[in-house]
Amino acid sequence: MNKNSGITRIQARLAIVATIGCLAFMTGTGVAEAAVAPTPSVAAPPTGPAPASHAPTSDRAAADPTLWTWLANVLAVPVSWTGSIFGCQPGTNSGASDAAALTEINYIRSLNHLAPVTFNSNLSAHARSAALMMAANHTLDHNPPSSWKCWSSAGATSASQSDLAMSEPAITSGMAISLYMDDDGSSNVAVGHRRWILYPFTTTMGIGSTDTTNALTVVGPTDPGRPNPAWVSWPSAGAFPVAMEPNGRWSLSSGDSRTKFGKSVVRVYRAGQRVPIHQWPVTNHYGMPTIVWQMPTGFSTTSDYTVVVKRIHRAGTTQTRSHKYVVRFVSPTA
């Protein structure tokens, strides 16, 4: 089994076009943005529980076919929405759908040694109200006007605190998480969706979906005492499941809020040879300080890559530092 067979990068993934809206955060104020990005198509069977081995600390663990089957199935769990745009009923989602999204989020977080999060039923109920508004008005907005169809105060508040996604003809919660982590599209070069999912201090999120929209509440309860690694990258350092590679849009975040990447330089090497990349302008309004770059089109995912980020500054000092790590893509063994 390889990247182009079986789960095919978990991906029926570039079948149709969707929009995603990401919440920006700056000095306590949300700022809405909208974006265009690829989305997966719908697959069928529901998933079981996540495999016992969470973060793959070795090639063997990351190549475990059980993990890959689980990743593929997570994207397929239907939301089973009981609501309706007609009558403005936010309804409910299946427990299996919520569980699939939560295990996917916590698996993603575990790859960077971040603490798991939980879903709160109230936050999720409000997120469904937000998703309902997006579906009823066929657009995404973090500040929906009260003139909108199916507008509600709870839904509007949730929209201001959530990542938002829309996909037609259908969406699943697992697909939405994958879409947020890829952060494709020219308007998502700051990878804001990803940065909120990987925010170290988050303890609780909420999730709600209709048949075509998703809201993931990412600005909510936090705990400053949670594990805060010095560096959080995507793809993460070490063995990394190739199916989760984010279409070449890589990022590195610092656990120090005083980090400045504005003058930093990214270098990527394969087998000692420098790989040409495009480094995106730094945007500091989402989660932790982050630098983002684009790998070349069609780059090999059968190789190890060494990433070196130089000239990393810290506010209030003149010192600079560097960070180096290796990404080792792993495919299933059977």
Side-chain angles (χ1 to χ4, degrees), residues 7-324:
I7 62 173
T8 45
R9 205 181 165 282
I10 310 180
Q11 122 198 93
R13 196 156 167 170
L14 302 175
I16 43 183
V17 173
T19 55
I20 55 179
C22 182
L23 176 69
F25 189 71
M26 183 177 184
T27 60
T29 302
V31 181
E33 291 190 354
V36 177
T39 188
S41 61
V42 180
T47 182
S53 56
H54 256 220
T57 55
S58 67
D59 288 1
R60 183 174 181 179
D64 183 351
T66 303
L67 165 66
W68 291 69
T69 300
W70 169 74
L71 288 173
N73 288 343
V74 158
L75 298 187
V77 181
V79 296
S80 300
W81 183 47
T82 64
S84 173
I85 294 175
F86 305 102
C88 295
Q89 298 298 316
T92 61
N93 299 138
S94 72
S97 173
D98 289 354
L102 184 62
T103 51
E104 183 181 4
I105 289 169
N106 283 334
Y107 176 75
I108 287 166
R109 288 175 63 88
S110 74
L111 288 169
N112 272 292
H113 309 288
L114 299 172
V117 299
T118 59
F119 283 159
N120 175 274
S121 59
N122 288 332
L123 291 178
S124 292
H126 296 164
R128 287 192 296 275
S129 293
L132 170 64
M133 284 194 291
M134 306 306 143
N137 294 276
H138 200 68
T139 190
L140 302 178
D141 194 330
H142 290 293
N143 298 286
S146 59
S147 59
W148 262 27
K149 299 175 184 176
C150 300
W151 186 92
S152 67
S153 177
T157 298
S158 180
S160 72
Q161 299 170 340
S162 299
D163 286 347
L164 303 171
M166 179 182 294
S167 171
E168 294 182 337
I171 198 170
T172 71
S173 297
M175 291 177 195
I177 304 308
S178 179
L179 185 64
Y180 296 142
M181 289 304 296
D182 281 355
D183 254 340
D184 279 320
S186 60
S187 297
N188 289 319
V189 296
V191 297
H193 305 90
R194 180 190 304 172
R195 288 159 70 171
W196 282 124
I197 291 174
L198 294 174
Y199 190 61
F201 308 114
T202 300
T203 62
T204 310
M205 297 182 181
I207 194 167
S209 297
T210 68
D211 291 333
T212 59
T213 58
N214 173 267
L216 178 68
T217 304
V218 290
V219 176
T222 59
D223 178 359
R226 302 209 104 191
N228 180 25
W231 305 102
V232 169
S233 62
W234 198 257
S236 54
F240 186 84
V242 68
M244 301 182 81
E245 195 287 314
N247 298 326
R249 183 156 293 172
W250 292 22
S251 61
L252 175 70
S253 299
S254 170
D256 185 345
S257 62
R258 294 166 292 183
T259 296
K260 302 294 183 182
F261 285 112
K263 296 181 180 179
S264 297
V265 176
V266 179
R267 296 286 185 261
V268 180
Y269 301 90
R270 176 192 179 198
Q273 299 297 309
R274 185 172 161 185
V275 177
I277 64 163
H278 176 76
Q279 191 171 319
W280 294 107
V282 172
T283 302
N284 290 319
H285 307 326
Y286 307 87
M288 303 303 286
T290 299
I291 190 167
V292 186
W293 62 96
Q294 194 73 33
M295 298 288 283
T297 301
F299 77 99
S300 172
T301 52
T302 60
S303 303
D304 296 352
Y305 289 88
T306 299
V307 177
V308 181
V309 183
K310 302 179 180 180
R311 302 179 194 168
I312 303 171
H313 290 255
R314 187 184 188 194
T317 73
T318 57
Q319 296 178 341
T320 63
R321 53 181 170 160
S322 299
H323 180 60
K324 177 180 178 180

